[in-house]
């Protein structure tokens, strides 16, 4: 056993509800606390001196200076396996060019597809690991990673194999998601419905055969896939044994309702969700995932996080790190900014990037610091946990622990 501490504060996030609004008064804050670790799990969290007295044989690990500890973070929506760079897209967008104009000039998602197809698996692995390590440095130890820049059998499998290989080279938990239904590739001869059938018949069986992903995503939007064909695709993907999630309501409303109707684990984006659909979503078991990085990258409005929470929904917050619309990748900064614009409590933000976002990935063994949970946590050199969001991403993580081991 190992005892880590004492910490000025431990914010456990224990005993908080999965859904709905939260007050900071609901937070369990253990002053001068310690975390007892056994076999990668949390054995106990409590007063350090008491734990030290009761476990005299435990190995001791003392933090440097005054620190606080919180559960490690989960980023439940990223696209960090990609080739190339779309800085020119960002500059053009800020100069007033439209999405269509950028795409016609060689930018947009298709640009990332071409760069990713041209990149070797070794190149993709190197850059993906670099991005994983950046996220770990922020205190993020569970990371969802999507395919979706291959858009044919060979290159979608290449991406997913890279993600699987990356899992052997990092201690973070990686959750792969097949997003072959990102958009219909320009070189596919046939309708969007035919392309979705191609995914179902050619790509997903190979994904299942090689155990490359257990999750399937689709982008439902005017520029991608239409509601009815998307709904049919999701039902069939679910029948194949995949958990499903949806890029929903980013620019136009309606697809979050589809996500709920087909039993999706999460509906992500939601910037355009209308009030009736917020109510429908909030009553369901589908997690509403806000992606403030996309709002910042595109200059669009934020997900209506306050309304979702006030109506009892499950709100997660993720980075959407991708080369086009959300290039920042700093989940903590993004979540802090979302809190400012949507008036979210510190408790709501911390829940949204820990146990609620882990729930969106069907990982209920993490996200709180309590007995039996995975011993993933992050420390900050401060005497007040509120400084994490107050400093909007500039307060750097001091130490990151995975399975109770500092990495």
């Amino acid at each position: 056993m190992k005892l880590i501490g004492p910490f000025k504060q431990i914010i456990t996030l224990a005993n908080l509800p999965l859904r709905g609004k939260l007050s900071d008064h609901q937070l369990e804050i253990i002053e001068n606390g310690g975390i007892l670790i056994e076999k990668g799990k949390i054995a106990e969290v409590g007063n350090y001196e008491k734990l030290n007295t009761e476990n005299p044989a435990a190995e001791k690990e003392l933090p440097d200076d005054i620190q606080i500890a919180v559960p490690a973070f989960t980023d439940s929506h990223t696209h960090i396996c990609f080739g190339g760079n779309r800085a020119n897209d960002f500059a053009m967008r800020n100069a007033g060019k439209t999405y269509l104009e950028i795409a016609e000039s060689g930018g947009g998602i298709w640009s990332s597809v071409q760069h990713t197809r041209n990149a070797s698996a070794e190149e993709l692995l190197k850059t993906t690991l670099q991005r994983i390590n950046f996220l770990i440095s922020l205190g993020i130890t569970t990371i969802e990673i999507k395919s979706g820049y291959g858009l044919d059998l060979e290159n979608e499998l290449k991406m997913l194999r890279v993600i699987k290989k990356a899992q052997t080279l990092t201690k973070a938990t990686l959750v792969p998601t097949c997003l072959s239904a990102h958009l219909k590739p320009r070189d596919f001869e046939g309708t969007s419905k035919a392309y979705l059938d191609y995914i179902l018949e050619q790509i997903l069986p190979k994904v299942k055969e090689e155990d490359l992903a257990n999750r399937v995503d689709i982008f439902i939007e005017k520029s991608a896939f239409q509601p009815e064909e998307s709904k049919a695709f999701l039902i069939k993907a679910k029948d194949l044994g995949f958990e499903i999630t949806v890029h929903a309501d980013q620019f136009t409303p309606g697809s979050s309702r589809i996500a709920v109707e087909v039993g999706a684990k999460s509906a992500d984006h939601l910037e355009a969700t209308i009030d009736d659909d917020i109510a429908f979503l909030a009553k369901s078991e589908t997690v509403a995932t806000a992606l403030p990085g996309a709002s910042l990258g595109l200059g669009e409005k934020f997900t209506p996080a306050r309304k979702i929470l006030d109506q009892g929904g499950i709100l997660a917050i993720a980075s959407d790190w991708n080369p086009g619309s959300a290039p920042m990748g700093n989940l903590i900064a993004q979540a802090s900014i979302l809190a400012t614009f949507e008036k979210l409590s510190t408790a709501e933000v911390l829940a949204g990037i820990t146990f609620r976002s882990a729930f969106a990935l069907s990982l209920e063994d993490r996200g709180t610091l309590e007995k039996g949970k995975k011993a993933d946590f992050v420390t900050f050199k401060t005497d007040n946990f509120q400084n994490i969001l107050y400093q909007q991403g500039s307060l750097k993580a001091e130490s990151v622990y995975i399975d109770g081991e500092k990495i």
Side-chain angles (χ1 to χ4, degrees):
M1 299 182 86
K2 178 165 62 176
L3 177 60
I4 306 175
F7 294 105
K8 177 69 174 178
Q9 297 174 326
I10 299 176
I11 294 77
T12 68
L13 300 185
N15 304 312
L16 294 176
L18 178 64
R19 59 195 318 130
K21 58 187 178 181
L22 296 170
S23 163
D24 289 356
H25 296 297
Q26 295 173 259
L27 291 173
E28 179 184 55
I29 302 173
I30 299 175
E31 304 282 350
N32 301 310
I35 303 173
L36 190 66
I37 310 294
E38 185 175 22
K39 297 179 180 178
K41 304 286 187 183
I42 296 173
E44 195 171 349
V45 180
N47 176 268
Y48 180 83
E49 293 303 328
K50 182 173 182 289
L51 291 175
N52 192 26
T53 300
E54 293 174 350
N55 300 276
E59 175 190 348
K60 307 300 188 299
E61 185 173 324
L62 303 175
D64 296 330
D65 208 349
I66 293 174
Q67 294 185 39
I68 63 99
V70 297
F73 309 128
T74 291
D75 194 341
S76 60
H77 182 129
T78 84
H79 303 253
I80 59 173
C81 181
F82 63 84
N85 176 289
R86 280 162 61 188
N88 191 51
D89 284 24
F90 185 76
M92 292 175 68
R93 187 161 55 242
N94 289 348
K97 297 293 185 182
T98 66
Y99 183 91
L100 183 59
E101 288 171 332
I102 292 170
E104 288 175 345
S105 68
I109 292 175
W110 187 244
S111 170
S112 292
V113 171
Q114 291 174 303
H115 284 295
T116 303
R117 286 181 176 182
N118 290 333
S120 68
E122 291 75 19
E123 291 169 333
L124 286 177
L125 179 62
K126 179 181 177 181
T127 54
T128 300
L129 284 170
Q130 289 171 345
R131 296 173 192 129
I132 289 168
N133 289 336
F134 173 74
L135 292 176
I136 292 172
S137 76
L138 300 178
I140 298 164
T141 63
T142 301
I143 306 163
E144 189 260 15
I145 309 177
K146 301 180 189 295
S147 66
Y149 294 126
L151 305 189
D152 62 21
L153 176 62
E154 176 187 355
N155 288 289
E156 284 292 296
L157 293 180
K158 178 178 73 173
M159 291 186 70
L160 290 167
R161 287 167 182 157
V162 163
I163 298 166
K164 187 171 185 176
K165 177 65 175 178
Q167 181 63 90
T168 69
L169 300 172
T170 180
K171 293 184 178 180
T173 299
L174 307 183
V175 180
T177 299
C178 181
L179 179 58
S180 299
H182 203 175
L183 81 169
K184 183 175 79 72
R186 293 182 182 181
D187 57 359
F188 182 84
E189 296 182 1
T191 63
S192 58
K193 164 68 165 55
Y195 177 64
L196 292 177
D197 288 341
Y198 167 75
I199 296 171
L200 290 165
E201 295 165 8
Q202 301 295 322
I203 297 179
L204 293 187
K206 288 293 292 182
V207 171
K208 183 68 74 174
E209 178 185 326
E210 295 187 32
D211 193 26
L212 296 175
N214 191 43
R215 291 163 46 87
V216 167
D217 196 351
I218 187 171
F219 185 20
I220 306 178
E221 193 52 70
K222 290 180 179 179
S223 61
F225 298 100
Q226 305 313 302
E228 287 308 311
E229 64 188 6
S230 299
K231 186 174 183 178
F233 169 81
L234 288 167
I235 291 170
K236 291 176 182 176
K238 198 172 181 181
D239 288 344
L240 290 174
F242 291 93
E243 187 173 88
I244 56 176
T245 182
V246 179
H247 277 61
D249 295 0
Q250 183 174 8
F251 302 112
T252 53
S255 48
S256 61
R257 187 170 284 266
I258 292 174
V260 172
E261 290 171 347
V262 299
K265 189 66 180 180
S266 71
D268 302 9
H269 274 295
L270 309 173
E271 296 92 337
T273 307
I274 60 176
D275 286 349
D276 284 351
D277 289 349
I278 291 173
F280 188 71
L281 176 61
K283 291 181 176 66
S284 76
E285 296 301 310
T286 298
V287 177
T289 303
L291 304 175
S295 300
L296 294 168
L298 295 174
E300 300 284 347
K301 63 183 180 180
F302 290 99
T303 302
R306 181 74 270 148
K307 288 183 177 180
I308 291 167
L309 288 168
D310 286 347
Q311 296 198 42
I314 310 169
L315 180 80
I317 305 169
S319 74
D320 193 25
W321 190 359
N322 73 71
S325 61
M328 180 198 292
N330 191 325
L331 174 61
I332 315 308
Q334 294 169 13
S336 302
I337 294 167
L338 178 70
T340 300
F341 281 87
E342 285 294 306
K343 302 305 177 211
L344 306 181
S345 70
T346 300
E348 288 167 339
V349 173
L350 290 177
I353 59 176
T354 56
F355 68 92
R356 288 177 171 178
S357 51
F359 180 79
L361 300 177
S362 298
L363 296 172
E364 297 177 53
D365 63 338
R366 65 200 66 196
T368 62
L369 298 179
E370 54 188 322
K371 185 175 181 178
K373 292 295 182 76
K374 192 175 190 291
D376 286 13
F377 57 97
V378 55
T379 75
F380 293 87
K381 193 171 283 189
T382 180
D383 61 358
N384 179 3
F385 75 96
Q386 293 173 321
N387 284 324
I388 299 172
L389 300 186
Y390 168 62
Q391 295 191 25
Q392 298 181 318
S394 64
L395 180 64
K396 304 304 181 185
E398 182 67 20
S399 299
V400 180
Y401 290 82
I402 296 178
D403 296 327
E405 297 296 328
K406 186 188 294 188
I407 61 169

